[in-house]
Amino acid sequence: MQEEVINLKNEALAQIMEVSSFEELETIRVTYLGRSGKFTSLIKRIREVSPEKRKQAGLLVNEAKNTIVKALASQKNHLKESARAWFDPTVPGIKPAMGHLHLVTQAIEEISALFTQLGFVRNRYPEVEWDWYAFETLNMPEGHPARDEWETFFVDAPANPKFGQMVLTPHTSSAQVREMQRVKSPPVRMINIAKCYRRQIDASHVPMFHQFEGLVIDKGISVANLKGTLDYFARNFFGPERKTRLRPFHFQFTEPSFEVDVTCGVCLGRGCKLCKNGWLELGGAGMVHPRVLAAGGINPEKYSGYAFGWGVERTYMMKSGLQIPDIRLIYGSDLRFLKQF
Ligand code: DAH
C-alpha cells in the first residue's frame, strides 16, 4: 500500500505541473480527491490493512493528500499570475491623439482650390522682398504718403541701387509685377497666397498674417470680369445665397479701386445687429493701374487687368461666423482653441 500511495501522489503531482488551464486543474482534483476519486478509494482500503500498520498507512495517505492540495493551490496561483500578464490583441487599443491642419492652412487650401478651378495658377514669391516690388512698381514712389498704410518692416541690409531696401512683404501685391515679369506676355491668371508682415499687434492685428492676391491680365478684361470672379468666390466660399458689391475706394496700384463687401451671412443683406447695414467688408480690389502694367513690361494700351487682395484669417472668420475676441488666439498654439476647427 505504501508504494501505491507514493506512486499515486507522484502521478498526481506530475499532472498538476503540466496543466495550462483552470479546467484541467479541476479535472485533476476530481480524479484524485473527488468523492469517488483515486485517493478516496485508497482511504476506504485502509481498513483492510493490518491493525499495527493501519496508523502509519493513514498518516501516509493524509500526507500525500495534503501535498496534492498544496500543489493544486500553488498551480492555481501560478495560472492566475500568467493570466494577468497575458496580452489580448483583440481588445481595442488606446487611440493616439490625432492632429489636423491648422485652421489657416485649411483656409488656404480651400481658397487655392476654388481659384484653381477658375484657371488661376498659384505661385510663390519671396517673403523677403525688395522695396521695388512692394511699393515702387505699384505706383508708390519713395516718399509717397500712400506707403504709410503699410507699416513695413525694413531689413537691416545694404540697399540695392535699383531695387532699394529689403522689406518683409507687407502685402501680397508685391507679387504682381514679379508675375508679369515671369509670364512676360498675357494672359496672366495668378493666385498668390502668402505671409505678410506689418508692424502691428493688438487684439485685432498680428505682425504676421496671410493674404491672398488674385491678378488677371488679358485683352478686354473689365470690371465685369472682376465682379463675376468675386461673386463666384462668395457663392462657393461663403454659401450659394451670398453676393458681393463694390464700393469706390482708393489704392495707388488700381484705377478704379474698390472695397469689396459681401452680404452678411445672418441677414443676407437686410441688415441685422451683427452687420448693421447688411454688408461685411472683405478687402480691396480694382483694375490694375496702367503704370503697374507698364512696370511689369505689359502694354497698357493693349491689355487690361484686375486684382484683388484680402486677408485669409479675416475671410475665414467671416465664413464661419466666428467672433474671435482676440485674433492672437489663432497663432497661440493653444490646443483647446485650435481643436475646434
Ligand atoms: N494690397 C492691399 C492691402 O494690403 C490690398 C489690395 C487692394 C490688393 C487692391 C489688390 C487690390 O490687388 O487691387 O491692403
Side-chain angles (χ1 to χ4, degrees):
M1 178 143 188
Q2 192 177 355
E3 208 180 293
E4 218 179 319
V5 175
I6 292 171
N7 282 346
L8 207 57
K9 180 176 88 171
N10 288 344
E11 183 190 300
L13 290 178
Q15 286 185 23
I16 291 170
M17 299 314 286
E18 293 285 297
V19 297
S20 55
S21 72
F22 294 113
E23 291 79 24
E24 284 174 68
L25 214 53
E26 180 59 12
T27 313
I28 294 172
R29 193 191 64 78
V30 173
T31 312
Y32 291 91
L33 309 177
R35 213 181 293 161
S36 48
K38 292 184 181 179
F39 268 93
T40 322
S41 52
L42 208 61
I43 290 167
K44 280 180 195 153
R45 277 174 43 215
I46 290 179
R47 266 180 275 138
E48 297 161 15
V49 177
S50 60
E52 61 278 17
K53 287 191 181 166
R54 205 176 285 164
K55 190 179 172 198
Q56 204 209 351
L59 285 172
L60 197 68
V61 173
N62 250 345
E63 187 271 333
K65 246 180 88 173
N66 286 341
T67 310
I68 294 170
V69 169
K70 270 191 203 148
L72 283 168
S74 100
Q75 187 67 351
K76 199 171 180 175
N77 268 341
H78 182 67
L79 283 180
K80 270 190 203 155
E81 289 287 310
S82 43
R84 223 173 282 144
W86 185 62
F87 174 71
D88 181 356
T90 64
V91 170
I94 301 163
K95 262 197 185 167
M98 280 271 275
H100 61 71
L101 293 177
H102 190 273
L103 67 137
V104 173
T105 311
Q106 289 179 40
I108 289 175
E109 289 193 350
E110 203 177 318
I111 292 164
S112 60
L114 277 183
F115 284 103
T116 310
Q117 279 166 22
L118 284 187
F120 284 69
V121 178
R122 186 171 174 202
N123 282 321
R124 313 297 290 264
Y125 287 106
E127 282 173 21
V128 180
E129 183 54 287
W130 296 112
D131 177 302
W132 178 261
Y133 290 102
F135 295 113
E136 200 75 36
T137 54
L138 294 176
N139 198 27
M140 289 185 275
E142 204 185 334
H144 196 288
R147 285 181 172 223
D148 286 354
E149 284 280 313
W150 292 269
E151 293 166 282
T152 311
F153 286 109
F154 287 88
V155 177
D156 190 7
N160 178 288
K162 177 175 174 196
F163 297 118
Q165 272 198 272
M166 257 186 226
V167 300
L168 301 187
T169 45
H171 56 172
T172 43
S173 304
S174 57
Q176 288 193 14
V177 167
R178 279 205 180 263
E179 178 73 357
M180 293 178 212
Q181 289 174 339
R182 186 187 72 85
V183 174
K184 293 195 180 74
S185 89
V188 172
R189 240 182 241 107
M190 173 199 76
I191 184 86
N192 170 39
I193 312 180
K195 292 188 171 79
C196 297
Y197 302 86
R198 291 186 198 171
R199 205 179 150 275
Q200 53 183 19
I201 185 154
D202 58 39
S204 49
H205 296 92
V206 277
M208 187 284 295
F209 59 102
H210 296 77
Q211 280 189 340
F212 60 107
E213 180 97 7
L215 175 69
V216 170
I217 305 169
D218 207 344
K219 280 186 182 143
I221 294 290
S222 73
V223 177
N225 300 106
L226 169 64
K227 183 71 167 65
T229 306
L230 300 179
D231 279 337
Y232 163 88
F233 178 77
R235 277 198 308 274
N236 287 282
F237 191 78
F238 294 112
E241 67 294 338
R242 309 288 283 276
K243 292 192 176 68
T244 62
R245 76 173 177 192
L246 299 177
R247 237 179 328 108
F249 203 70
H250 174 262
F251 294 105
Q252 277 296 112
F253 36 93
T254 43
E255 182 56 41
S257 304
F258 311 102
E259 287 244 280
V260 183
D261 296 337
V262 64
T263 42
C264 165
V266 176
C267 64
L268 297 179
R270 282 184 297 273
C272 67
K273 266 191 201 151
L274 181 76
C275 61
K276 307 224 163 51
N277 58 7
W279 297 90
L280 300 166
E281 186 189 314
L282 258 182
M287 299 306 292
V288 183
H289 196 287
R291 283 200 202 141
V292 177
L293 289 174
I298 289 175
N299 183 353
E301 301 290 327
K302 240 167 111 184
Y303 295 102
S304 57
Y306 66 78
F308 54 87
W310 307 334
V312 171
E313 290 84 346
R314 200 186 139 70
T315 309
Y316 184 76
M317 277 159 68
M318 281 169 63
K319 171 190 176 121
S320 46
L322 281 179
Q323 295 197 308
I324 299 179
D326 189 331
I327 199 166
R328 290 170 290 194
L329 276 170
I330 292 182
Y331 294 107
S333 301
D334 185 337
L335 290 181
R336 289 169 305 175
F337 173 78
L338 294 175
K339 259 193 215 159
Q340 303 171 66
F341 305 95

